[in-house]
Amino acid sequence: METCRYACLSGEHSLSRRGFLGGMAAGVASLAGLATPALGKQLEKDQKHVLMIYLSGGVSQLETWDPKPGTPTGGPFRAISTSVPGIQICELLPHTARQMHHLALVRGLNTAENEHGRGSYIMHTGRRQEPAMKYPHLGSVMSKVLGAEHTGLPGYVHISPGGGGGFNKQDAAFLGPRYASVTLGNGKPPENLLRPQGMTDQAEHDRNDLQDRVNQRFARSRRTAETEAYTHSFEQAKQMMARKHLFEVEREPTRIQERYGKHDFGRHCLLARRLIESGATFVKVSHSNYDTHYENFEYHIEQLGEFDQTFATLLDDLHQRGLLKHTLVTVVSEFGRTPTINRNYGRDHWSKAWSIALAGAGIKGGTAVGKTNATGTAVTDREVNGGHVFHTYFRALGLSSTRNFYIDERPIPMADPKAAPITEVLA
Amino acid sequence: MTAPARTTAPALDPLDVAKTKSVKDLKYSSPLIGGRLDPSGKYVFVSAQDNTLQRWDLATGKNVPYSGHSSWVRTLAFEPRSKTLFSGSYAGEIFAWPVEADRPQPRIKLDAHRGWVRAVAVSPDGKTLASCGNDHRVCLWSLPDLKPVREFTGHLCHVYNLTFTPDGTHLVSADLKGIVKDWEVSTGKLVRDLDASILYKYDKGFMADIGGVRSMAFSADASLLACGGITDVTNAFAGVGKPLIVLFDWKTGKQKLLLRPKNAFQGTIWGVAFHPSGWILGAGGGAGGMLWFWKPGEAQSSVELKLPTNARDLDLAPEGKRLAIPFADGMTRIYEIPTK
């Protein structure tokens, strides 16, 4: 067994308004030299969004996107037809199967990393870990290049299962804390986000006005990336306070809530849709847990039983609301699971041949790219890695994937230059 | 899997359970899931992860495949009068097969459940078959035609196991959460619930359910019901927990004893059986395989026999001398319990 990081439930990561603001101001990296204006011009007129569904622990590709029924590695589940003739997926995803015309499957992923943390890093950054360089998460990158400032929401929102929550400045790496992720534990807004009871509108206004004037005076003489990040974060907190209703998924009609499912993942995906509909740039929803070394099949029945209807509803809802064409959806894990079934009916970590699913903005729905052999142990056609996936994200969003970030005039490619887009899944 | 109630076997006393040994190894190419000795004592039937059943002739070692299921089979049951084998699959199918055939084909194929069939059991009078599964249903079917008779409604999660009382008047079903339901067969009425919830846990870190009544058996005199599984789970994703058999006093419905291994072991009790002499046998797997023997009235196992790998099931022959264990390595091993 390799170590595994699950949703942090510790109180020390609980996010308070003070912590939120303080965190935003702390530890900022240099922003000098970042080529932002040109990137912004690449965007189409309509705001683009990214929705990442992260299946924590490593979902089994054999129980989802690349079933191998009737083989020694296939397990007990059958393959079912989908809305796209010729593409079959596992019977545990009957609702998703009906949305296949929106989905593109990448079945030839080989990320060559079987450890949770390093696998997660690849799927969040498109790079392997390097001792001398930390790369920003996709959410941080998108927060920067898609422009989140006007949304009044954090550029990178992570809706996690369980409690807690927090500000994760390390996710933004050299982009700086302005682009860090904010974790909403169990879909709850940051604690103490709302102003104290008893404070009047006028008092709140006066307080903010005083703060603005002090900030401006300070910035005139000692403007730094830290002060900018602090000012940005405070402004963002104020805007979030004004939009606290976004977190109240119970405002949705009962029918909608029931379609999404009244479990946590259903509620979290409904919140994700509300956030995206309200302009959020990047939303990640984690679903836990798929690290099924024991009783893989029992657990996939349970976890995918939640995932399937909710995810299918989310896709359909985004489509019906006209949001899907502007929203890139990606369903990923840190890796897949071993084709070999262990003696405890489990599957272990497997990164040599696994699958992800894409949908939405810039994606050609109803496609399946890449093949694995009969038992799913190796990629036999169109092998790709995390770098290819990142290039594909950029291109799907209408962005060049070969541009650079700059740190002190040092160019840092936005996506791994050794990889290229998976053009077959691009619209 | 549910062990059939034994009603006719003579007692072997005194047993020398510590000298239980493997007397026959039957090798198959796919890992095994469940297994049963046929009532005549001629065959052992096992199910495998390639969707087949395999019939082994215990005297000759000849193997005959039973092919046709579209998923794994965990549960097997016999109707000895008509020499019929019933199998329930994870595709929701129940098949009726001839026990003796050179090229066996299903006599009946029934789409019985939505999702996995977890257990089937033949009533002692041979007139009905009971089944349960992931659709939360407990069903009774007439024999030999497998027509629906009635359903027993009340489980709120996957139903993992069932068995008839030895007199056939009651049906007992048990689910993922360790709820054991006692049903009156003739009316379908729920008589009572028994509590085996110690075999279940919702792992908050892993955010998933673990456990369930994985094995089940009645003593021949119907005084005791044994439910086996896993308890004290500390890591659901790795199956880190302890094997446990919950022993019920059937008359009162109260827990009588919690049967635990003498030495620490990590895993699940996948098969349980009452020996006619009163010994209780459990076989399990997790961190390897183990066969445990509990003396009547004792909570801690007296004898433990280390097995080559994970045991997936256990069946004891009616005479109480031989037992069959299907393994995760594809082997069916036949063991004999000697007398002193």
Side-chain angles (χ1 to χ4, degrees):
Chain A
M1 262 302 299
E2 297 180 78
T3 56
C4 179
R5 290 178 59 225
Y6 294 120
C8 179
L9 306 177
S10 65
E12 66 181 327
H13 290 169
S14 173
L15 179 65
S16 67
R17 184 183 182 204
R18 185 181 299 274
F20 175 75
L21 299 176
M24 286 294 282
V28 69
S30 171
L31 297 174
L34 286 171
T36 54
L39 291 172
K41 288 176 185 173
Q42 288 189 67
L43 301 178
E44 294 178 5
K45 186 178 177 182
D46 293 310
Q47 171 70 35
K48 294 287 177 57
H49 316 270
V50 181
L51 173 59
M52 173 184 278
I53 307 294
Y54 192 81
L55 306 181
S56 298
V59 73
S60 169
Q61 69 282 4
L62 295 139
E63 274 67 64
T64 51
W65 314 120
D66 195 13
K68 304 286 184 185
T71 72
T73 58
F77 301 117
R78 294 164 293 179
I80 56 171
S81 297
T82 67
S83 61
V84 179
I87 297 181
Q88 290 197 315
I89 60 176
C90 180
E91 66 173 319
L92 294 179
L93 301 174
H95 297 282
T96 303
R98 291 194 281 275
Q99 300 295 325
M100 183 53 64
H101 51 287
H102 291 308
L103 286 163
L105 304 181
V106 178
R107 285 172 165 163
L109 208 55
N110 179 359
T111 47
E113 179 52 69
N114 286 340
E115 193 275 326
H116 284 286
R118 292 194 292 270
S120 175
Y121 184 87
I122 290 171
M123 298 312 294
H124 280 90
T125 68
R127 314 288 183 116
R128 302 187 71 79
Q129 283 186 349
E130 300 173 15
M133 172 62 78
K134 290 200 182 305
Y135 290 95
H137 277 203
L138 179 68
S140 299
V141 172
M142 290 303 156
S143 174
K144 182 171 183 58
V145 301
L146 294 178
E149 285 82 358
H150 65 284
T151 67
L153 293 165
Y156 177 3
V157 177
H158 175 205
I159 303 169
S160 75
F167 174 84
N168 314 292
K169 65 186 183 213
Q170 70 278 5
D171 294 349
F174 56 75
L175 295 181
R178 187 184 185 101
Y179 303 106
S181 67
V182 173
T183 299
L184 307 180
N186 198 21
K188 300 283 174 52
E191 290 176 20
N192 307 318
L193 178 68
L194 304 180
R195 75 185 184 209
Q197 279 190 337
M199 180 178 281
T200 64
D201 289 347
Q202 186 61 48
E204 172 79 353
H205 177 269
D206 292 346
R207 189 176 69 156
N208 291 338
D209 185 54
L210 175 63
Q211 166 126 12
D212 287 345
R213 281 187 279 125
V214 170
N215 282 349
Q216 287 167 16
R217 181 178 169 188
F218 187 83
R220 279 196 294 273
S221 57
R222 282 174 282 179
R223 183 172 181 171
T224 65
E226 282 88 347
T227 59
E228 281 198 359
Y230 183 86
T231 303
H232 169 76
S233 63
F234 204 91
E235 195 58 39
Q236 198 170 61
K238 280 197 294 185
Q239 290 175 328
M240 283 178 70
M241 278 190 273
R243 309 185 77 181
K244 65 181 190 302
H245 64 280
L246 285 177
F247 300 96
E248 297 166 3
V249 295
E250 61 276 11
R251 285 171 175 254
E252 293 283 334
T254 303
R255 176 180 54 83
I256 297 290
Q257 293 182 56
E258 288 175 348
R259 275 188 69 203
Y260 272 83
K262 288 200 162 182
H263 42 73
D264 286 348
F265 184 62
R267 198 163 47 79
H268 297 167
C269 284
L270 182 50
L271 173 59
R273 193 270 286 158
R274 287 170 64 85
L275 290 171
I276 284 180
E277 193 170 36
S278 300
T281 301
F282 186 98
V283 181
K284 169 185 165 186
V285 181
S286 291
H287 190 219
S288 190
N289 190 286
Y290 292 86
D291 193 17
T292 50
H293 297 275
Y294 171 85
E295 294 283 8
N296 172 77
F297 309 104
E298 303 274 9
Y299 288 137
H300 274 78
I301 289 175
E302 182 169 2
Q303 308 295 36
L304 291 174
E306 281 192 354
F307 168 83
D308 178 44
Q309 182 172 344
T310 297
F311 176 64
T313 297
L314 176 62
L315 276 184
D316 186 53
D317 199 12
L318 289 171
H319 174 62
Q320 296 297 333
R321 290 167 190 266
L323 293 167
L324 191 58
K325 62 184 175 185
H326 303 297
T327 305
L328 172 65
V329 180
T330 179
V331 184
V332 299
S333 283
E334 53 263 52
F335 38 62
R337 304 213 74 81
T338 49
T340 299
I341 300 162
N342 69 29
R343 63 185 181 177
N344 289 313
Y345 297 112
R347 295 193 193 268
D348 303 309
H349 303 173
W350 190 255
S351 58
K352 288 183 179 176
W354 61 291
S355 307
I356 62 169
L358 304 169
I363 296 297
K364 189 198 297 180
T367 57
V369 178
K371 287 182 182 173
T372 52
N373 62 12
T375 52
T377 56
V379 178
T380 56
D381 180 50
R382 194 61 170 105
E383 180 173 300
V384 296
N385 60 36
H388 296 87
V389 174
F390 263 61
H391 279 275
T392 308
Y393 293 153
F394 283 106
R395 287 283 295 275
L397 292 163
L399 300 165
S400 167
S401 63
T402 57
R403 295 187 66 94
N404 296 323
F405 289 118
Y406 289 89
I407 304 177
D408 296 331
E409 300 182 8
R410 174 188 167 198
I412 307 291
M414 291 172 64
D416 186 348
K418 296 190 291 296
I422 309 166
T423 54
E424 300 93 319
V425 301
L426 293 171
Chain B
M1 198 185 287
T2 307
R6 307 294 185 194
T7 56
T8 58
L12 287 177
D13 191 29
L15 296 178
D16 195 355
V17 296
K19 292 185 177 173
T20 299
K21 62 179 181 182
S22 173
V23 295
K24 190 177 285 290
D25 292 352
L26 303 164
K27 173 69 177 170
Y28 187 60
S29 56
S30 176
L32 304 180
I33 304 167
R36 282 287 169 267
L37 291 156
D38 98 284
S40 74
K42 186 176 179 184
Y43 304 117
V44 60
F45 286 79
V46 293
S47 57
Q49 287 181 196
D50 63 0
N51 300 350
T52 67
L53 312 179
Q54 301 293 324
R55 185 185 76 198
W56 293 97
D57 187 310
L58 291 172
T60 66
K62 185 187 174 190
N63 167 265
V64 174
Y66 283 53
S67 301
H69 275 296
S70 51
S71 185
W72 293 3
V73 170
R74 163 70 180 153
T75 180
L76 303 169
F78 297 97
E79 202 297 286
R81 299 162 189 81
S82 60
K83 293 187 176 180
T84 302
L85 168 70
F86 296 96
S87 54
S89 86
Y90 289 175
E93 309 150 330
I94 295 176
F95 285 5
W97 307 85
V99 168
E100 305 231 30
D102 292 334
R103 292 181 182 176
Q105 294 294 317
R107 288 175 181 157
I108 302 175
K109 294 181 176 181
L110 176 69
D111 283 329
H113 288 265
R114 189 165 172 267
W116 293 13
V117 175
R118 297 274 192 170
V120 294
V122 174
S123 61
D125 65 5
K127 293 182 178 176
T128 55
L129 177 88
S131 65
C132 62
N134 282 4
D135 56 5
H136 306 184
R137 294 163 66 221
V138 176
C139 303
L140 194 68
W141 314 89
S142 62
L143 293 181
D145 54 359
L146 284 177
K147 299 295 183 190
V149 176
R150 68 175 50 89
E151 288 192 22
F152 304 83
T153 306
H155 283 287
L156 301 175
C157 57
H158 296 178
V159 189
Y160 275 27
N161 244 308
L162 54 70
T163 186
F164 285 94
T165 52
D167 67 3
T169 59
H170 288 239
L171 181 63
V172 183
S173 57
D175 64 26
L176 163 66
K177 296 189 176 179
I179 307 298
V180 181
K181 291 188 176 292
D182 174 12
W183 310 94
E184 190 174 71
V185 172
S186 60
T187 63
K189 179 186 165 191
L190 176 64
V191 178
R192 57 183 173 168
D193 282 353
L194 284 66
D195 180 10
S197 58
I198 192 173
L199 298 173
Y200 164 79
K201 178 181 179 179
Y202 179 77
D203 188 311
K204 291 179 181 175
F206 192 57
M207 298 184 175
D209 299 302
I210 180 170
V213 177
R214 299 296 191 157
S215 49
M216 201 174 189
F218 264 109
S219 62
D221 64 1
S223 64
L224 298 170
L225 172 71
C227 294
I230 190 170
T231 193
D232 297 336
V233 174
T234 55
N235 244 332
F237 66 86
V240 179
K242 299 173 182 173
L244 182 74
I245 294 172
V246 182
L247 197 63
F248 289 99
D249 179 316
W250 181 244
K251 187 174 180 183
T252 65
K254 303 295 183 189
Q255 291 182 6
K256 183 172 184 177
L257 278 176
L258 297 177
L259 307 186
R260 300 178 188 273
K262 178 172 59 179
N263 295 306
F265 185 85
Q266 174 187 315
T268 302
I269 300 273
W270 286 104
V272 63
F274 284 89
H275 193 275
S277 65
W279 286 86
I280 298 171
L281 285 64
M290 195 71 78
L291 175 63
W292 297 274
F293 295 85
W294 285 268
K295 283 181 182 170
E298 293 187 4
Q300 192 177 80
S301 62
S302 297
V303 174
E304 299 179 348
L305 180 65
K306 184 172 169 34
L307 301 175
T309 186
N310 288 24
R312 293 282 180 74
D313 201 353
L314 163 70
D315 195 25
L316 184 65
E319 90 289 342
K321 185 175 182 182
R322 284 188 301 182
L323 57 104
I325 298 179
F327 285 91
D329 62 359
M331 296 289 282
T332 304
R333 294 181 173 89
I334 307 298
Y335 293 84
E336 282 190 1
I337 308 172
T339 51
K340 287 179 179 172

